[in-house]
Amino acid sequence: MQLKKLVWHIFPANLAVTLCSLLAILWYSSTALDQFHSKWTETALQNRAYLIEEQIALLVAKDRKKELNTFCRRIGRKSSTRITVINPSGTVIADSDENPEKLGDHSNRPEIKSAISGKIGTNLRFSSSLGVKMLYVAIPLPGPSAADKNEKFHVLRVSMPASAIEQTLRDLRVKVAISGIIVALLAMLAAIIISKRISKPLEEMTRRAEQFARENFSSPLAVTSDCSLEVGTLVNAMNSMAFKLQERIDTIVNQRNELQTILASMAEAIMVIDNDKHVTTINASACRLLKIPAEKAIGRSTQAILRNIDIERLVDTTLAGPEAVAEEISMVKGAKKIFLQYSGVRLLDSNGHQFGAVVVLNDVTHIRRLENVRREFVANVSHELMTPLTSIKGYTETILDTDPNDREQTRKFLEIILRQSNRLQAIVNDLLELSRIEKEIEYNEIHPVPTRVRSILDEALQVCSLKAAEKEMTIRLNCPTELMAPMDGQLMEQAIVNLLVNAIKYSNPSSKVEIRVGLRTAKNHGEMVEISVQDYGVGIGQEHLPFLFDRFYRSDKDRSRKLGGTGLGLAIVKHIVQAHQGRVEVESEVGHGSVFTIFIPATQLPG
Ligand code: ADP
């Protein structure tokens, strides 16, 4: 709809009212003037008649027609009035303008009729003799006896052309019309000025209201001196509304930012959906989990982006019932199976109407995996402990059943019990060591400091020298004396000892072990210190290599048990190296020996 400006609402109405009142005034004044002027002219003519009435009556009474005619002509000329004298039978006996003999019977003229019967008669009509419109006033001339009611009078008629009266009236009308037009123009001007004055602050308010709509509340409206009370009140109300709106918007924006930051920083995948299951909000974790960018997820149905019947069922249950829904489900993501903890709750508006739901998906795969690892670990530990424990229990029972005097047998059994106890102790020690290192890594308690690598290796050699000597093995060390690396000395010594013990353990007597140390520049890791421990022993099958650093993994169970291995040595090595932000690798060939290599950064890494 095309809306008009305020000025076009006020101006035409104002103009119409002005014009109507002007026309009414014009009509009324013109009619009143007309009447007034006619009356006034009539009275004037009548008075003129009365002024000459007596002289005329005298001349008529004396029947001095010639003199009467001359008198009429003279007075008529002087007063610009036509004077006519008519006898009671209607015949003109004198006339100021025409020859009376040429004028016919006047008894039928309305003014003459009245005057003959004794009453003043007036009439406005076209004069056939003069060819112009005339105003006639006829008075009866006083007769000899006024008592006779049927007496017919001589008539004195004075007249003047109506054109003169009409001209005067026309002039008057023109003057009234001109002043009317001037008044109308002034009224129109006043209407324009008033409408402008009213509309100007309104236009300013409209402009500001449009700015408010664009959320721009920066410049408040000013109440100027030419503002009316109503406009001033409206301006103040608008300014206070703008202030309150700004406050509300600020609060909403802050709350929205807060909410977005919370949503973005949450590890849980969160989606807000409407009643039709279309996504309205999705956080970064959900985008990552579903591998979909937020702009593609918004507006799409959960079915299209989740493609999982279990979640779809839970979403339906959430939207259907008042209860919050929580359930663990699994889904296939790529080639992997993942576990998700689903939590869903309905969203209600201020009137208690449901407008959607919040769906939270928590990836609990890691927790489930950890639980699995723990379960396996407990099973492994129990299994590892069970073997020596069963042995200890069995031999103890056997001793109890054996003849106490059979000392040799008893001693043999006790030696077995001692060996199994040592094994038990070794397992427990290694487990404690492993959990200590894990705890230190978890609580960031390991602080590598620049240490001479050579000194650590010397210490480790010292620890293993007895074992090496027992098997008549030689250990060769090739390490630059001044080479430094950030290390936790005690832990790194432990890792090297574990590797050396294994190298000695899984080698034939009189064999040799070599320790080589060097610097290597790795592509993405900077400069690394490389410590390799090589033996020429039994070696390890390729199929075992990927699992070698797992807890309780043994490539050769019998041999390991026989040699008192716990299956935890390499797991400890792996953890220590990881605590140094390094890695450990193994190369091996059955029958030819193995090389275990530790890589740790040559300089302190940030963080
Ligand atoms: P263990 O206490 O049984 O030696 P580790 O964790 O130290 O446990 O080693 C795991 C397994 O790896 C051992 O059981 C052994 O089979 C194999 N292994 C480790 N080091 C060597 C090596 N130098 N030569 C051959 N096999 C080895």
Side-chain angles (χ1 to χ4, degrees):
M1 190 178 51
Q2 187 71 38
L3 296 175
K4 286 188 283 181
K5 288 186 95 177
L6 180 68
V7 66
W8 297 118
H9 281 280
I10 297 174
F11 180 66
N14 213 325
L15 184 66
V17 170
T18 311
L19 285 179
C20 284
S21 29
L22 203 69
L23 284 175
I25 290 166
L26 213 61
W27 174 81
Y28 178 76
S29 62
S30 151
T31 317
L33 267 172
D34 226 357
Q35 281 173 0
F36 169 75
H37 199 270
S38 304
K39 198 81 205 150
W40 185 84
T41 316
E42 244 178 71
T43 315
L45 277 177
Q46 211 176 312
N47 290 343
R48 281 183 207 177
Y50 284 131
L51 280 174
I52 56 170
E53 180 192 21
E54 276 185 22
Q55 280 144 295
I56 299 279
L58 201 67
L59 291 169
V60 168
K62 288 179 180 167
D63 200 19
R64 284 152 60 175
K65 279 187 184 161
K66 207 170 173 192
E67 236 175 291
L68 180 67
N69 210 34
T70 314
F71 179 76
C72 286
R73 272 181 192 279
R74 185 165 48 86
I75 297 297
R77 211 172 25 250
K78 277 187 181 163
S79 63
S80 306
T81 310
R82 185 181 174 187
I83 301 166
T84 314
V85 182
I86 301 123
N87 68 14
S89 57
T91 310
V92 176
I93 51 174
D95 192 88
S96 58
D97 295 14
E98 299 292 326
N99 182 359
E101 283 157 21
K102 283 185 187 169
L103 299 169
D105 181 18
H106 271 51
S107 59
N108 58 347
R109 308 284 200 277
E111 75 282 2
I112 305 291
K113 257 188 196 166
S114 297
I116 286 173
S117 59
K119 285 178 234 138
I120 297 167
T122 53
N123 192 225
L124 179 72
R125 69 164 182 282
F126 191 77
S127 159
S128 50
S129 52
L130 295 175
V132 287
K133 208 175 173 191
M134 299 287 287
L135 175 65
Y136 299 98
V137 174
I139 58 164
L141 284 171
S145 69
D148 188 358
K149 276 194 180 164
N150 293 325
E151 186 194 343
K152 288 189 172 180
F153 293 88
H154 276 84
V155 173
L156 166 62
R157 189 183 75 175
V158 285
S159 62
M160 62 188 291
S163 60
I165 309 160
E166 276 173 355
Q167 184 57 47
T168 317
L169 277 176
R170 219 175 291 128
D171 288 351
L172 260 171
R173 275 195 205 104
V174 168
K175 277 179 192 154
V176 171
I178 288 171
S179 36
I181 287 166
I182 291 168
V183 169
L185 285 174
L186 286 174
M188 275 154 66
L189 195 71
I192 291 172
I193 292 168
I194 290 168
S195 356
K196 283 253 179 246
R197 274 190 73 165
I198 297 174
S199 63
K200 201 178 151 213
L202 288 179
E203 276 168 18
E204 175 63 12
M205 274 192 278
T206 311
R207 203 175 54 75
R208 291 291 297 122
E210 279 166 1
Q211 283 181 355
F212 291 172
R214 290 195 297 274
E215 293 180 19
N216 174 5
F217 304 102
S218 51
S219 43
L221 277 165
V223 182
T224 52
S225 55
D226 56 347
C227 273
S228 63
L229 176 66
E230 291 83 353
V231 170
T233 315
L234 192 60
V235 164
N236 286 334
M238 275 184 79
N239 283 340
S240 112
M241 184 185 77
F243 180 72
K244 280 184 185 140
L245 270 174
Q246 181 68 70
E247 263 187 354
R248 284 269 164 85
I249 288 173
D250 285 350
T251 314
I252 291 168
V253 167
N254 289 348
Q255 282 175 347
R256 192 192 58 192
N257 290 349
E258 223 174 82
L259 204 68
Q260 276 176 351
T261 314
I262 292 170
L263 278 180
S265 59
M266 278 180 84
E268 286 85 0
I270 299 172
M271 282 185 296
V272 180
I273 55 168
D274 61 17
N275 283 337
D276 298 325
K277 297 195 278 183
H278 288 123
V279 176
T280 55
T281 304
I282 185 164
N283 74 342
S285 299
C287 291
R288 266 196 304 275
L289 177 72
L290 305 171
K291 290 204 170 93
I292 186 167
E295 57 276 12
K296 279 198 179 163
I298 302 282
R300 287 179 72 191
S301 71
T302 47
Q303 200 173 10
I305 61 167
L306 291 165
R307 285 187 295 261
N308 183 291
I309 356 166
D310 286 332
I311 298 183
E312 206 51 29
R313 172 179 55 80
L314 291 170
V315 167
D316 285 337
T317 319
T318 308
L319 286 170
E323 299 293 322
V325 179
E327 198 176 308
E328 191 173 309
I329 48 132
S330 65
M331 70 186 273
V332 179
K333 188 182 168 195
K336 284 188 278 174
K337 186 179 179 185
I338 61 165
F339 296 90
L340 296 173
Q341 175 67 40
Y342 173 98
S343 310
V345 64
R346 288 191 311 155
L347 285 170
L348 304 178
D349 64 15
S350 52
N351 299 319
H353 296 135
Q354 177 182 319
F355 66 94
V358 179
V359 170
V360 181
L361 295 170
N362 196 7
D363 189 350
V364 290
T365 316
H366 183 62
I367 298 169
R368 293 288 160 271
R369 243 177 238 150
L370 272 181
E371 278 171 3
N372 256 352
V373 167
R374 265 193 201 129
R375 219 173 290 129
E376 271 174 33
F377 178 70
V378 170
N380 284 342
V381 170
S382 312
H383 180 76
E384 289 295 327
L385 296 178
M386 194 50 88
T387 319
L389 270 178
T390 314
S391 186
I392 291 167
K393 186 172 177 259
Y395 281 104
T396 314
E397 282 168 353
T398 315
I399 291 170
L400 288 173
D401 291 341
T402 311
D403 178 4
N405 297 322
D406 191 349
R407 292 181 66 89
E408 198 181 327
Q409 192 73 347
T410 308
R411 185 180 172 81
K412 203 174 110 193
F413 292 149
L414 282 172
E415 275 170 0
I416 295 172
I417 289 172
L418 180 65
R419 223 175 21 250
Q420 293 302 333
S421 303
N422 284 341
R423 189 164 137 70
L424 208 60
Q425 193 182 26
I427 293 172
V428 173
N429 277 345
D430 277 0
L431 278 173
L432 286 173
E433 180 66 10
L434 197 61
S435 74
R436 183 180 67 88
I437 296 166
E438 273 181 343
K439 197 196 102 200
E440 282 180 1
I441 292 174
E442 197 180 335
Y443 291 102
N444 230 351
E445 285 172 0
I446 295 173
H447 304 291
V449 288
T451 313
R452 269 181 61 229
V453 181
R454 175 79 194 232
S455 64
I456 302 294
L457 296 175
D458 282 341
E459 293 284 331
L461 271 175
Q462 190 71 36
V463 174
C464 300
S465 59
L466 201 65
K467 278 196 168 82
E470 277 171 9
K471 285 183 83 174
E472 295 176 348
M473 287 178 69
T474 50
I475 303 174
R476 254 192 254 148
L477 174 62
N478 183 1
C479 173
T481 333
E482 298 307 321
L483 182 66
M484 304 280 285
M487 287 190 288
D488 177 312
Q490 215 178 338
L491 286 177
M492 195 50 79
E493 184 191 318
Q494 165 89 64
I496 306 290
V497 166
N498 282 8
L499 292 180
L500 279 176
V501 167
N502 278 353
I504 296 166
K505 213 160 44 174
Y506 300 107
S507 293
N508 295 323
S510 308
S511 173
K512 61 174 180 178
V513 175
E514 286 170 2
I515 305 172
R516 284 185 299 276
V517 181
L519 265 177
R520 181 196 278 199
T521 311
K523 243 187 180 174
N524 298 320
H525 300 89
E527 223 169 29
M528 305 288 274
V529 171
E530 188 184 322
I531 307 166
S532 51
V533 177
Q534 182 165 19
D535 66 68
Y536 299 90
V538 292
I540 309 155
Q542 293 298 308
E543 70 278 15
H544 299 293
L545 297 185
F547 315 104
L548 214 58
F549 296 95
D550 291 353
R551 292 171 184 126
F552 299 116
Y553 190 84
R554 293 177 180 95
S555 57
D556 186 338
K557 280 194 177 102
D558 287 345
R559 194 196 300 264
S560 167
R561 290 225 170 91
K562 224 179 276 164
L563 296 170
T566 60
L568 293 167
L570 288 181
I572 292 172
V573 172
K574 187 178 83 176
H575 275 82
I576 292 174
V577 173
Q578 280 175 350
H580 286 78
Q581 294 174 312
R583 65 183 198 280
V584 57
E585 290 175 1
V586 57
E587 285 170 49
S588 188
E589 207 180 319
V590 179
H592 289 91
S594 319
V595 188
F596 286 84
T597 311
I598 289 172
F599 299 92
I600 51 164
T603 46
Q604 195 94 40
L605 292 179

